[in-house]
Every structure is written in C-alpha cells, then in structure tokens.
Amino acid sequence: SNDGIEWKKLPRPTDEEILQLFKSVPPASAAKNVSGDGKVILGFIGDFGVPCVWTLNDNGEYEVDLFPLRFLKLKGEEDRDNDERPLTGLSAHYLSLSDNGRYAAMLGLIPKDGHDYVKVPIVYDTKEKSLIVYSEYQDIDEFNEGLYPTSIANDGTFVGTIGMPALGSLGSFIMKAGQTQADMFINIFPEFDERYGVSDLLGFNVPTGISADSRYIVGYTLYSDDYNNMNTPAYFETYIIDTVGDFSAVELTPEKTETTAIYSIDGCSLREMTKGINIIRNSDGSVSKILKK
C-alpha cells in the first residue's frame, strides 16, 4: 500500500482457459464496472474480446470467473444442440453491472438457421453463476436489430436501445425484471413521447443509466423543434425519467450546432435536404440523420 491506499492486481484466467476462446493468448485485460461495495468487477479479456467477472472471496482476494467458457458453443458440431451452451458469441463492447454486483448485462449471439445468428440481451447472475438469455422474439424489434443493454438495476431491470446505441437505433427500451418482452419508452412514458418521440425513433436518443432501485432513468438526446427543417437549431438535451412519477427534469446543452454539410444516405454531397433520410454534418463535428417527408 501507498499512503494508506491498497492496490490489488486482478488475476487473469489461465492460458489454457483463454486459448479455448482465442487462437493465441491476448496480452490485455480490462476492468470496466465495479459494484457499490467493490466486491464484484465486470470487464473483459483481450481487446474487447469476451466478458469476464472478478469476485472478492472470503480471504479478501479476487477470483476470476471466465463464464463464457460455460455458455459458448466452443466445439462446433459437438456443441450445436447443447442447450447448456446457448450462445455462439458474446460482446464486451456493451457491458453494465448492477450496483449490488448481482447482475451483468451485455449483448449475446444465439444461433439461427445454420450459420446465421440473432443478437439478444444477456444477463449473467454473478451470485448463482447462471445466465438469462432473452431469446424470445421481441415485438418492439420488428427489424431484428437486437436490444443493446446500456445499464442495469439491482433487481435485473435494464434499459438500452433497439439497435446499436447512437448509430441509428430504432428507439429506447426498458426490460423490467421478470418480464420477457421489452417496452419502448415512447409507449410507456407519455411525457417522454411528447418531448422526444421523434428524436427517439430517428435514433438520436440513448438511455445511459438506471438507478439501483430502477426508479430513475437518465439519458441524452439530440433535440430539434422541427427535424424536417435543417435550418432549425438542433442541440443535445439530457433528461431524467421518474418511472413512478413524471418525466421530471430536462437540462439543455447550451451550445447549439449549425449544419455545415448535407449528404444522401449513400454518401453523395447535397446542396439541400431531399426526401428520405439525410446525413447532416454539424459545426461541432457531430453527424446526425434527419428524415424529410
């Protein structure tokens, strides 16, 4: 320790374990989330390779749990019909851990029609060392973009986007604990729909956090009074939703942006917006999409 600060080095899985998931042993591993009491850590092995959990044991040492070894189909045809190994892949790009350290949410892949796959949300129970796979078809995901979890509460309720966050998602969702079908924000939060419904459907909204008790949800969105008019200022707003009260707070980002270039969906430069989806480059360097009817 140094000045009363205690440092602990997190252990890595053995090379033999890692080689079951990689062709060679990657030099890197990283911690990404930690529980409120510091006893559970969520991260990944490799360059955003596979998720991994570290748990503090009774001796005050962290133990590594490379849980994908137990749930991924590692042996091809031999594992293809093994229900105890339901996944063909796990993403470490979208990881979140509940404050109590019980639940870790992420994106997984399940097999479909031979070599194809479906993107589904996955929740790993770090206490029971079990996996919840939301493999049931989601009514709100009609284009099969997948549900990307961004934050999870202590009871297992999680929020996220339909499709990749900030890259053209098709709306924001909440999956309440114990349910198998997610709900869209615009369907269950009327005040949110009134203020941000269009922004959400255009993929401009990302919920970034849910409180430990699952009551409060925070996020950000690109807002405009008229998305069809490129001359209307657009700017980022942050919000908080009280799920048992109201859409209760809005904070405006003070600096507004101006349009500097317009492109068609296939990347051609345009003098003005045309009917359909237009790609807008803003003065702050950000890129957005605007639907012109």
Side-chain angles (χ1 to χ4, degrees):
S1 63
N2 183 21
D3 295 331
I5 300 174
E6 184 177 2
W7 297 84
K8 289 183 180 294
K9 183 178 180 180
L10 297 177
R12 278 167 57 87
T14 65
D15 288 353
E16 290 75 15
E17 290 174 321
I18 294 176
L19 285 173
Q20 294 184 60
L21 300 168
F22 298 90
K23 292 181 179 180
S24 60
V25 179
S29 61
K32 189 173 182 181
N33 305 101
V34 63
S35 61
D37 59 8
K39 293 183 178 180
V40 180
I41 296 171
L42 175 65
F44 52 87
I45 302 296
D47 184 12
F48 287 99
V50 293
C52 188
V53 168
W54 291 267
T55 305
L56 197 66
N57 61 27
D58 293 337
N59 296 323
E61 299 294 332
Y62 284 98
E63 296 178 349
V64 60
D65 177 10
L66 191 59
F67 63 91
L69 285 176
R70 302 193 300 277
F71 299 107
L72 287 176
K73 298 182 184 298
L74 301 175
K75 300 177 182 178
E77 293 293 321
E78 183 178 337
D79 281 342
R80 186 183 63 180
D81 299 320
N82 187 348
D83 293 336
E84 295 181 357
R85 295 179 177 271
L87 306 176
T88 59
L90 275 172
S91 171
H93 282 273
Y94 305 98
L95 296 178
S96 58
L97 182 69
S98 60
D99 185 69
N100 61 3
R102 176 74 183 263
Y103 300 107
M106 64 205 72
L107 187 73
L109 306 178
I110 58 174
K112 175 189 176 183
D113 301 331
H115 298 291
D116 202 1
Y117 60 84
V118 178
K119 292 176 285 189
V120 297
I122 303 293
V123 173
Y124 180 60
D125 186 329
T126 65
K127 181 179 179 180
E128 299 295 331
K129 298 188 182 302
S130 60
L131 202 70
I132 303 172
V133 181
Y134 291 85
S135 57
E136 182 176 322
Y137 175 79
Q138 296 295 312
D139 293 336
I140 63 173
D141 187 16
E142 59 179 315
F143 297 106
N144 299 317
E145 291 294 315
L147 302 187
Y148 287 68
T150 55
S151 184
I152 189 166
N154 283 346
D155 64 354
T157 295
F158 59 93
V159 294
T161 60
I162 306 169
M164 191 174 294
L167 291 178
S169 66
L170 302 176
S172 306
F173 75 86
I174 179 171
M175 179 76 79
K176 296 180 180 178
Q179 295 186 355
T180 57
Q181 284 289 323
D183 294 307
M184 292 185 69
F185 280 17
I186 60 175
N187 292 335
I188 60 173
F189 303 132
E191 293 184 40
F192 175 91
D193 181 26
E194 181 179 347
R195 179 70 176 173
Y196 296 135
V198 175
S199 172
D200 198 15
L201 288 175
L202 289 174
F204 296 154
N205 179 67
V206 177
T208 55
I210 185 170
S211 60
D213 61 1
S214 74
R215 175 169 177 172
Y216 299 101
I217 299 170
V218 294
Y220 66 89
T221 188
L222 183 68
Y223 179 76
S224 171
D225 289 328
D226 184 359
Y227 289 96
N228 295 316
N229 184 354
M230 70 176 182
N231 295 316
T232 303
Y235 46 91
F236 283 99
E237 294 186 354
T238 56
Y239 61 83
I240 180 169
I241 299 173
D242 183 344
T243 62
V244 298
D246 297 318
F247 176 77
S248 55
V250 174
E251 177 186 345
L252 302 184
T253 302
E255 294 185 4
K256 299 183 179 181
T257 62
E258 296 180 357
T259 298
T260 59
I262 308 172
Y263 302 93
S264 65
I265 192 67
D266 56 1
C268 295
S269 180
L270 303 173
R271 296 184 62 182
E272 59 184 18
M273 286 201 303
T274 59
K275 186 177 181 180
I277 296 178
N278 297 263
I279 309 299
I280 307 299
R281 182 173 295 279
N282 302 304
S283 57
D284 63 355
S286 64
V287 176
S288 56
K289 293 187 301 183
I290 292 181
L291 175 65
K292 183 177 177 60
K293 298 181 179 179

